Amino acid sequence: IDLDSYIVIYGEIKRLKPGSHKIQISKTGYLQKNGRFYIIPGKRTSIDGSLFHTIPFLSIRVDGREKDWEGISPLIVDSVGDNNNAPGGTDIREVFAATDGIYLYTKINLADGFPSTKPLYYAIGMQSLDNSFSRLLFTQYNDHGHWSTGVDKWTNKSTGQHKQIGKGFIRSRGEIIEARYKLKDIGIELDQPFLINAWDDSSGPSYDNTSQSKVVWSYHSEIFTVTGTIRGKKVSERTFSPYITYHDKRTSIKLYDSNGEEIGIEFQVDKVSEGSHQIREKEYDFSLFSSIIDKALGHRRNSNLVSGKLNIFKNDDEWVTGYYDLTSNIGDKVSGFFSVKKK
């Protein structure tokens, strides 16, 4: 199994008997894989450990800065110095992506700084596994030093011709090129796997062309984010390993910030259907809790009633994923994403 890092196999290996066995392969930032392997006496057993990168649920402020991308793994990591001694700003180092269900956010990190020549063109190619679908996220740095980007559709891929079908928004700062595109313009859907790669040029042969990476936008990837104000204190936190607890048919999802403060939400997960909801106080037993609130009040308060928006993307036997934008009955305002595996 090649997971590009270390490998841990759980199980009593010595007790394995000849025949077929189930295996589960997982890695943070990738879609979990279930499969089988076979034990044949006297023969070597191999396991296909290739995994799909997952695009996390996250809103990104497109400003050309790194901050919003902290903790997110790149979809593509490219070799440094493989741009054939081309002008500065052409050596692609990493490619990232995230989505909030409305926009796809992308970030290209360059190894050799801001573009040193004009014009330059950057592209992120997206293609379905069966070649029935393809899109191009095409960015231009023109002769006047202006940036523009959009979603393009190939009109003749063999000759490199394409046309724009949707506009994007872009900001660049230093070695970072950051952009956003409407998901409806791109056409990718939840749990639709595809291949992605990136390249750049100046209307000629590519300076740098990365290898393809297998990617999927999936809710099968744990995350919990909280942004807003709690007792007048600004919070902006995220974790890819949320704490999950269960009590009296309610599910609690929480994290701890850098100061050790507890922040979480709680509700009756199994009673909420997929789709958009305008929730009222006490509905689904939805509540906000935090040690910040407890300290401000001077005593332990189990929870605070909330009202607002709740959008459930997926709620099946194994996972629940959604977005919330809530106000508590004591004036706290929070919003964020959650995607967690059920008990």
Side-chain angles (χ1 to χ4, degrees):
I1 306 175
D2 181 12
L3 296 184
D4 302 322
S5 58
Y6 58 87
I7 303 166
V8 179
I9 298 178
Y10 294 95
E12 297 182 66
I13 305 299
K14 292 181 180 179
R15 297 182 62 181
L16 287 177
K17 297 179 180 180
S20 175
H21 300 271
K22 293 180 180 180
I23 190 170
Q24 187 179 86
I25 305 172
S26 61
K27 181 182 178 182
T28 301
Y30 292 76
L31 186 65
Q32 181 177 286
K33 181 177 183 177
N34 297 313
R36 286 186 173 275
F37 67 100
Y38 298 87
I39 298 294
I40 302 174
K43 292 189 177 182
R44 183 176 179 178
T45 297
S46 62
I47 301 170
D48 179 8
S50 60
L51 301 175
F52 282 86
H53 289 269
T54 56
I55 299 176
F57 280 104
L58 208 62
S59 286
I60 300 292
R61 181 179 179 182
V62 180
D63 56 7
R65 299 179 187 273
E66 290 275 13
K67 185 177 180 181
D68 289 348
W69 297 91
E70 290 178 1
I72 298 178
S73 301
L75 302 181
I76 296 173
V77 178
D78 193 48
S79 299
V80 173
D82 61 346
N83 59 334
N84 303 312
N85 296 316
T90 60
D91 193 1
I92 298 171
R93 188 179 75 218
E94 296 168 319
V95 179
F96 298 77
T99 182
D100 57 9
I102 300 174
Y103 294 101
L104 178 71
Y105 303 91
T106 64
K107 179 168 73 79
I108 296 176
N109 283 359
L110 301 171
D112 53 351
F114 195 83
S116 62
T117 188
K118 297 174 283 198
L120 279 176
Y121 305 97
Y122 301 86
I124 298 176
M126 306 171 69
Q127 176 183 307
S128 62
L129 302 185
D130 61 1
N131 295 321
S132 62
F133 163 88
S134 64
R135 287 291 183 270
L136 191 65
L137 308 181
F138 187 68
T139 295
Q140 302 181 59
Y141 179 60
N142 68 19
D143 289 320
H144 303 290
H146 296 150
W147 291 90
S148 63
T149 193
V151 179
D152 282 27
K153 180 179 180 179
W154 291 104
T155 54
N156 191 326
K157 199 169 185 178
S158 61
T159 60
Q161 294 176 306
H162 50 88
K163 67 175 182 179
Q164 189 175 98
I165 58 173
K167 291 185 177 180
F169 179 80
I170 188 168
R171 286 288 182 268
S172 180
R173 186 187 299 266
E175 73 282 0
I176 297 172
I177 303 173
E178 193 176 37
R180 74 166 183 246
Y181 310 90
K182 291 181 180 179
L183 280 177
K184 66 178 183 179
D185 289 339
I186 301 172
I188 62 171
E189 299 177 351
L190 198 62
D191 287 330
Q192 176 189 0
F194 57 92
L195 300 172
I196 185 172
N197 71 316
W199 65 93
D200 53 37
D201 60 52
S202 60
S203 289
S206 298
Y207 291 130
D208 196 0
N209 195 335
T210 73
S211 58
Q212 286 186 321
S213 180
K214 296 190 295 184
V215 175
V216 63
W217 168 32
S218 174
Y219 61 91
H220 291 127
S221 181
E222 288 200 319
I223 189 172
F224 178 46
T225 71
V226 182
T227 301
T229 57
I230 299 178
R231 298 292 79 204
K233 179 180 178 180
K234 289 186 178 181
V235 295
S236 183
E237 302 290 338
R238 75 175 65 152
T239 179
F240 294 93
S241 301
Y243 293 87
I244 315 297
T245 57
Y246 305 91
H247 175 69
D248 193 24
K249 297 182 180 181
R250 296 192 301 273
T251 299
S252 295
I253 308 169
K254 66 180 180 181
L255 55 72
Y256 291 91
D257 68 11
S258 56
N259 297 316
E261 301 287 8
E262 176 190 63
I263 307 172
I265 57 174
E266 183 177 70
F267 63 106
Q268 292 180 313
V269 168
D270 292 332
K271 287 194 174 183
V272 187
S273 60
E274 294 177 5
S276 299
H277 305 267
Q278 189 69 40
I279 62 172
R280 302 179 297 273
E281 287 186 9
K282 298 184 179 181
E283 193 169 8
Y284 309 119
D285 279 347
F286 213 116
S287 62
L288 166 72
F289 61 90
S290 174
S291 56
I292 300 172
I293 298 172
D294 299 340
K295 291 176 181 178
L297 297 177
H299 61 85
R300 176 69 178 176
R301 184 184 178 108
N302 291 330
S303 62
N304 301 289
L305 301 177
V306 295
S307 59
K309 297 178 181 179
L310 177 65
N311 190 356
I312 300 296
F313 305 133
K314 274 290 181 180
N315 192 359
D316 58 22
D317 292 338
E318 293 186 88
W319 290 80
V320 59
T321 298
Y323 170 80
Y324 64 94
D325 188 350
L326 307 168
T327 301
S328 78
N329 60 343
I330 57 175
D332 304 305
K333 295 183 178 181
V334 292
S335 63
F337 293 88
F338 57 87
S339 185
V340 298
K341 194 171 184 178
K342 293 182 179 179
K343 186 177 180 179

